[in-house]
Amino acid sequence: MAMKIIVNGDGLAVSEDIKHIKDLLDYLGVADKPLIVEHNQQILQKEAHEQSVLTEGDKIEIVHFVGGG
Amino acid sequence: MQQQAVRKKGSVLAANRYHRQVLFAPIGEAGQEKLSQSHVLIVGVGALGSSSAEALARAGVGKLTLIDRDYVEESNLQRQQLFSELDMKNKLPKAVAAKQRLAAVNSLIEIEAIVGDAEADNLSQLVSQVDLIIDATDNFETRLLLNDLAQKYRKPWIYGACVASYGITFTVIPDQTPCLQCLQDYIPQQGATCDSVGVIQPVVQKVTSHQVTEALKLLTGNEANLSGKLTAFDLWKNQHTEVDVATLRNPDCPSCSEARSYPNLAYDARMKTTVLCGRDTVQLRPQSKQVELAEVARELQKNKQIQLVRNPYLLSFEVDSFRIVLFQDGRALIHGTMDQMEAKNIYYRYLS
Ligand SMILES: [Zn+2]
């Protein structure tokens, strides 16, 4: 059963293996980057990535800093 | 006498000149007058700095101070809107070329151009004099320095950055928002830079649209309309994100809390450069610790023109007429130059 979530405004269907924010970041291939992650409008501390449980329809915003100018 | 004539001509010109902006109700006559009395510092005159400077000059900000340590090169012309082929041919310093162009765009404002490194000494003096600062640098070392100075002198500054089709901006207001130091856990050690993954020009314009609009709000007394959020977007992926980072304000922040010590103003926090005599080489030693060579290598390899040589202790590559060697302890050797500023530019371009 796929679960549908919204990442940076776009719908994303993910498999049931993806249970926590950390799993999602791994799936997206960005887990090793320093990221600001907002889960249903709550900013998550990095330590919370492994505990925060994803559910159908969740909204996740992922932002990263860049240096170029 | 002549001065008077110029001033008179100026006021006649000005009546029409800002008409559309004065018609915009949140600015109006009063806002326009405030703009003409304002002084803005723009740190860096590359892509973001060119764009912000032009917008603020056209808007009639009374005085602009530009600081940049680089000169105009061919690869700048795709996105750095103030520069021409002639500037490139003449290798004009960016601050100087920018000033010339801006003076042609708006002769009613004052433009100060500083060719030099944005270092603690010269920045400190500048920051204390201005109403706000636009960040248009290409590295976090300078941004953190700027952040501390802005906190020290209680000035707002507007972070902006872009790479590829992605841009990000945030307005730092002393005593109100988190500062950059509060967010330091999120700052990349070796971020992608324009030279390894490129950048498209429209994203520059979008970043500066946000920065300049925030600046106009601040300068015209429209603080209530400030975004208050970290804004990021990817034009290619059609994404736009705003995140409320208020909760990330650190009550123990060394830069903005009661117990502030401005860690980035300490001399030790600055990169040390040493010319290695007789070797046509500059050594750069950033204060910031160890580097993950594998990570640096991965970023560099996105640029297909770079041929990397690696062993467990260092990585080395050639680019243009330079050879760059990066050690695990963060030191870099730039071979092919004895100019410290040039060596720093190369370092930031490829290794920061
Ligand atoms: Zn802070």
Side-chain angles (χ1 to χ4, degrees):
Chain A
M1 263 295 284
M3 170 172 64
K4 221 180 159 200
I5 56 176
I6 297 165
V7 179
N8 287 359
D10 292 332
L12 180 71
V14 293
S15 82
E16 59 193 0
D17 310 345
I18 294 175
K19 295 189 170 69
H20 300 100
I21 290 286
K22 173 73 164 59
D23 304 329
L24 175 67
L25 299 178
D26 283 335
Y27 170 74
L28 296 172
V30 293
D32 55 343
K33 288 186 176 181
L35 301 168
I36 296 181
V37 180
E38 193 187 71
H39 184 196
N40 295 333
Q41 304 202 312
Q42 290 287 318
I43 297 244
L44 298 182
Q45 298 292 334
K46 210 167 284 175
E47 309 79 64
H49 290 182
E50 295 192 30
Q51 286 105 54
S52 288
V53 178
L54 284 167
T55 53
E56 178 82 20
D58 279 2
K59 289 194 176 73
I60 295 98
E61 303 285 356
I62 304 169
V63 172
H64 64 280
F65 277 89
V66 294
Chain B
M1 200 64 170
Q2 207 186 348
Q3 195 113 32
Q4 228 169 14
V6 169
R7 208 171 289 149
K8 198 167 169 200
K9 183 178 148 224
S11 64
V12 172
L13 269 177
N16 231 344
R17 164 154 218 144
Y18 306 115
H19 182 239
R20 300 300 191 280
Q21 188 166 280
V22 169
L23 279 180
F24 179 66
I27 294 181
E29 296 274 7
Q32 191 62 48
E33 178 58 25
K34 284 180 184 154
L35 290 178
S36 75
Q37 302 295 327
S38 299
H39 184 183
V40 172
L41 170 64
I42 300 175
V43 183
V45 193
L48 294 174
S50 287
S51 176
S52 285
E54 179 164 348
L56 292 173
R58 288 187 188 276
V61 170
K63 182 171 180 183
L64 297 176
T65 298
L66 317 171
I67 179 167
D68 193 282
R69 63 181 170 198
D70 211 351
Y71 65 91
V72 180
E73 294 175 283
E74 186 181 20
S75 65
N76 303 151
L77 300 180
Q78 161 254 358
R79 68 199 179 286
Q80 301 186 14
Q81 68 190 60
L82 294 175
F83 310 133
S84 68
E85 291 180 355
L86 189 61
D87 298 330
M88 169 197 83
K89 189 167 154 256
N90 294 336
K91 290 192 164 51
L92 275 189
K94 289 183 179 178
V96 171
K99 179 179 172 167
Q100 284 179 4
R101 173 64 186 148
L102 294 171
V105 165
N106 191 346
S107 60
L108 307 180
I109 62 166
E110 187 182 343
I111 302 149
E112 180 184 25
I114 299 166
V115 181
D117 219 354
E119 282 183 310
D121 282 348
N122 50 17
L123 268 191
S124 182
Q125 229 179 357
L126 294 172
V127 167
S128 66
Q129 294 167 5
V130 299
D131 296 296
L132 68 81
I133 304 116
I134 302 262
D135 159 38
T137 66
D138 58 3
N139 67 86
F140 282 105
E141 190 192 12
T142 307
R143 287 191 179 97
L144 286 165
L145 169 63
L146 185 57
N147 179 70
D148 279 11
L149 288 170
Q151 292 297 330
K152 183 175 175 186
Y153 294 107
R154 298 284 200 289
K155 309 284 184 175
W157 72 279
I158 307 171
Y159 161 68
C162 55
V163 65
S165 54
Y166 178 86
I168 178 165
T169 173
F170 180 64
T171 303
V172 178
I173 310 278
D175 303 320
Q176 290 180 36
T177 69
C179 78
L180 188 61
Q181 187 69 42
C182 293
L183 304 174
Q184 72 151 348
D185 284 352
Y186 304 99
I187 297 174
Q189 290 297 313
Q190 292 94 26
T193 71
C194 290
D195 288 273
S196 58
V197 296
V199 62
I200 56 170
Q201 194 266 1
V203 81
V204 172
Q205 300 301 333
K206 188 161 163 78
V207 170
T208 60
S209 286
H210 283 268
Q211 287 182 294
V212 170
T213 306
E214 291 280 281
L216 293 177
K217 292 171 190 170
L218 280 163
L219 297 173
T220 59
N222 286 287
E223 285 86 351
N225 287 90
L226 287 168
S227 149
K229 292 186 175 170
L230 182 69
T231 302
F233 33 78
D234 191 310
L235 283 173
W236 209 262
K237 295 179 185 164
N238 310 304
Q239 291 176 341
H240 180 99
T241 302
E242 290 181 20
V243 176
D244 187 344
V245 291
T247 57
L248 296 179
R249 194 170 170 198
N250 175 6
D252 302 317
C253 175
S255 297
C256 73
S257 72
E258 291 288 318
R260 54 180 71 191
S261 59
Y262 305 123
N264 304 299
L265 296 187
Y267 180 72
D268 284 355
R270 301 290 295 164
M271 174 163 351
K272 298 213 175 56
T273 64
T274 319
V275 180
L276 301 187
C277 294
R279 286 188 57 193
D280 198 21
T281 297
V282 177
Q283 176 184 265
L284 305 172
R285 185 194 295 274
Q287 180 70 15
S288 53
K289 54 229 161 229
Q290 301 266 310
V291 291
E292 275 301 326
L293 291 177
E295 208 175 312
V296 178
R298 213 178 316 126
E299 285 300 324
L300 287 168
Q301 273 157 348
K302 289 177 186 167
N303 183 338
K304 300 288 176 241
Q305 288 169 348
I306 288 179
Q307 297 256 314
L308 276 179
V309 178
R310 248 189 91 189
N311 69 32
Y313 314 102
L314 61 84
L315 63 82
S316 167
F317 59 98
E318 289 187 20
V319 66
D320 300 328
S321 58
F322 306 101
R323 190 156 58 83
I324 302 165
V325 180
L326 178 69
F327 297 83
Q328 250 177 346
D329 64 1
R331 277 182 313 114
L333 295 179
I334 316 292
H335 301 286
T337 181
M338 286 174 62
D339 181 336
Q340 297 189 31
M341 208 170 274
E342 187 174 50
K344 271 191 179 182
N345 282 337
I346 294 162
Y347 181 93
Y348 285 133
R349 199 176 297 163
Y350 293 100
L351 300 175
S352 76

